[in-house]
Amino acid sequence: MSRQTHWDNIILGAGAAGMMCATQSGGRTLVLDHAKAPGEKIRISGGGRCNFTNMYAGPENFLSANPHFCKSALSRYTQWDFIDMVARHGIAYHEKTLGQLFCDNSAKDIIAMLQAEMTQAGAALWLETQIVNVTHDGTTFNVEVEKSGKRESLTCTNLVLATGGKSIPKMGATGLAYDVARQFGLTVTDTRAGLVPFTFSDGRFKAISGVAHPVRAAANGTSFEEAMLFTHRGLSGPAMLQISSYWWESQPISLNLFPDGSPFDTLRNRRQEQGRRNLTTELATLLPSRLVDHLSETMDLSGNLADQSDAALQALCDQLQNWELLPSGTEGYRTAEVTLGGIDTDGLSSKTMEAKAVLGLYVIGEAMDVTGWLGGFNFQWAWSSGWAAGQAIAAKRG
């Protein structure tokens, strides 16, 4: 018969949110994860340097069926609170762009910091541990696990779902949190890949793969002004990842190749000065030449500047600032940085992250229907929601 061990708190998932919660929850806390090392998504994030937060993080940077849900946690544990923790541990960091903060050295510094904080809080960590089954008898949770080929039955007063969403399955991402949530009567909204590159089935951008250019990308009334990257499969880069979270299948996206303003005056002035030059030659001074070659396949860029009337130049500029494309889809969860949707926040307390109908059950991080923009916002949600749940759990003990 397997040995049964009781813990005050069991946290499923040793990612950003789970480890953060463990630093705050107090009591006898156990963190379980199937991976060989904690914080694997932290380790690979930001090119290995971890974009751990954003100086401008606020509720407006998050998507959710209930846009107000994230306000409480974000206001009580802010980006500045996490930055203070980073500074206390002597981790050097820098702002890359748009308030995005990265480690100077390595993302592993953030993982080591969280592990040190967990150790100081007395939390235990079991890795390479599979969750077999979760039940609840009305007062106590039973978590059956398999570790080193042996099954063990653990019990706890508080259970925290911190296993994330479905993004990047090659790292072990599953829908475990959703399955457990449904088991206890919580609603799970439809999920889809977010912060993910677009694909085009006809491979139309293969010839210009690797070309990057700043754009303003728009979909469903929302726009982002950042870099776009053409790939052999479609479109990537920060602007595309951002707008993918607002895009729905079978809908077009609109690209403004001149987000800083129309090139009309520039082209008209050059027509007066150098009218004999080819239109494509002049455009290639304003856009990547390979992109101009690609555009010439679908837009009329023939002739010299002198051949272009004001009306023709204006029409061309309008095309270049409203280039409409219809993606076939996205690369899906395989490369998505986040999962949109998840455990419905209507069933959770925005202050404590506790399930309203199942006392002692908490949901934090990406598992719930709160998704941040690209740029450190999702990590900030992990820190804020993990902290809120940890504090609420600790407060129960008095």
Side-chain angles (χ1 to χ4, degrees):
M1 190 171 181
S2 62
R3 177 173 61 88
Q4 188 171 32
T5 304
H6 182 77
W7 299 80
D8 295 320
N9 319 304
I10 292 180
I11 300 171
L12 306 185
M19 287 196 286
M20 186 65 181
C21 183
T23 70
Q24 304 295 314
S25 55
R28 298 184 69 237
T29 296
L30 173 64
V31 182
L32 303 175
D33 202 289
H34 67 276
K36 293 181 179 180
E40 283 292 85
K41 287 185 76 172
I42 298 175
R43 181 182 61 81
I44 68 167
S45 67
R49 291 193 173 182
C50 187
N51 178 194
F52 57 82
T53 193
N54 193 294
M55 292 193 297
Y56 306 120
E60 66 277 6
N61 305 120
F62 295 85
L63 292 80
S64 175
N66 179 2
H68 300 290
F69 182 87
C70 64
K71 291 181 178 179
S72 175
L74 289 172
S75 66
R76 289 184 296 125
Y77 190 86
T78 71
Q79 57 269 40
W80 306 109
D81 293 314
F82 191 78
I83 291 168
D84 284 345
M85 180 188 292
V86 170
R88 287 200 312 273
H89 283 260
I91 299 173
Y93 63 90
H94 61 279
E95 179 188 0
K96 188 173 181 180
T97 183
L98 302 173
Q100 301 170 21
L101 300 186
F102 289 77
C103 297
D104 284 358
N105 180 37
S106 169
K108 294 178 181 178
D109 293 341
I110 299 296
I111 300 173
M113 175 190 76
L114 292 168
Q115 285 189 276
E117 292 280 332
M118 285 173 57
T119 299
Q120 184 176 350
L125 172 63
W126 289 7
L127 298 170
E128 298 182 273
T129 303
Q130 302 296 326
I131 308 302
V132 178
N133 191 34
V134 178
T135 57
H136 188 232
D137 64 8
T139 57
T140 302
F141 293 92
N142 183 288
V143 182
E144 189 177 354
V145 301
E146 185 172 313
K147 183 176 174 62
S148 302
K150 297 180 180 180
R151 290 200 174 187
E152 186 166 358
S153 186
L154 310 174
T155 59
C156 62
T157 304
N158 302 298
L159 180 69
V160 183
L161 304 183
T163 56
K166 296 179 180 180
S167 61
I168 317 184
K170 71 178 181 181
M171 298 193 68
T174 68
L176 175 64
Y178 309 144
D179 294 339
V180 175
R182 291 190 187 98
Q183 180 183 331
F184 290 112
L186 298 181
T187 300
V188 179
T189 69
D190 291 340
T191 60
R192 57 193 176 94
L195 300 182
V196 63
F198 289 103
T199 58
F200 291 78
S201 58
D202 57 8
R204 69 183 70 179
F205 301 123
K206 283 184 180 179
I208 57 173
S209 178
V211 172
H213 185 69
V215 299
R216 181 181 299 120
N220 283 320
T222 300
S223 64
F224 290 91
E225 190 173 317
E226 289 192 68
M228 175 180 69
L229 174 68
F230 294 95
T231 73
H232 70 285
R233 299 193 66 190
L235 298 173
S236 189
M240 294 299 98
L241 299 187
Q242 293 279 37
I243 207 64
S244 71
S245 293
Y246 292 83
W247 176 80
W248 290 90
E249 195 169 349
S250 300
Q251 292 186 340
I253 58 174
S254 177
L255 303 178
N256 182 345
L257 298 178
F258 292 93
D260 293 331
S262 173
F264 175 75
D265 289 338
T266 298
L267 292 174
R268 185 172 60 175
N269 290 338
R270 290 184 183 180
R271 182 184 63 188
Q272 295 174 342
E273 300 166 357
Q274 302 171 335
R276 294 184 178 181
R277 299 191 67 175
N278 289 335
L279 176 58
T280 53
T281 301
E282 287 307 307
L283 281 176
T285 67
L286 304 174
L287 296 170
S289 58
R290 289 168 62 196
L291 174 55
V292 174
D293 291 341
H294 175 82
L295 293 171
S296 67
E297 296 175 4
T298 56
M299 299 180 186
D300 183 8
L301 304 182
S302 60
N304 299 330
L305 276 175
D307 300 327
Q308 314 299 320
S309 65
D310 280 2
L313 284 179
Q314 187 61 64
L316 173 61
C317 292
D318 288 345
Q319 277 187 290
L320 297 173
Q321 291 193 289
N322 295 279
W323 186 19
E324 192 168 281
L325 296 169
L326 182 61
S328 304
T330 71
E331 292 190 3
Y333 294 119
R334 183 179 67 84
T335 61
E337 296 201 14
V338 293
T339 302
L340 292 156
I343 299 170
D344 196 337
T345 59
D346 282 352
L348 307 173
S349 163
S350 62
K351 182 177 181 181
T352 66
M353 308 295 134
E354 188 174 20
K356 296 174 182 177
V358 186
L359 297 184
L361 180 65
Y362 296 79
V363 181
I364 57 177
E366 189 185 344
M368 72 174 74
D369 176 28
V370 175
T371 306
W373 289 0
L374 183 73
F377 299 102
N378 286 290
F379 273 130
Q380 185 55 47
W381 178 243
W383 315 138
S384 296
S385 61
W387 179 91
Q391 288 280 305
I393 291 169
K396 283 185 176 181
R397 295 175 57 83

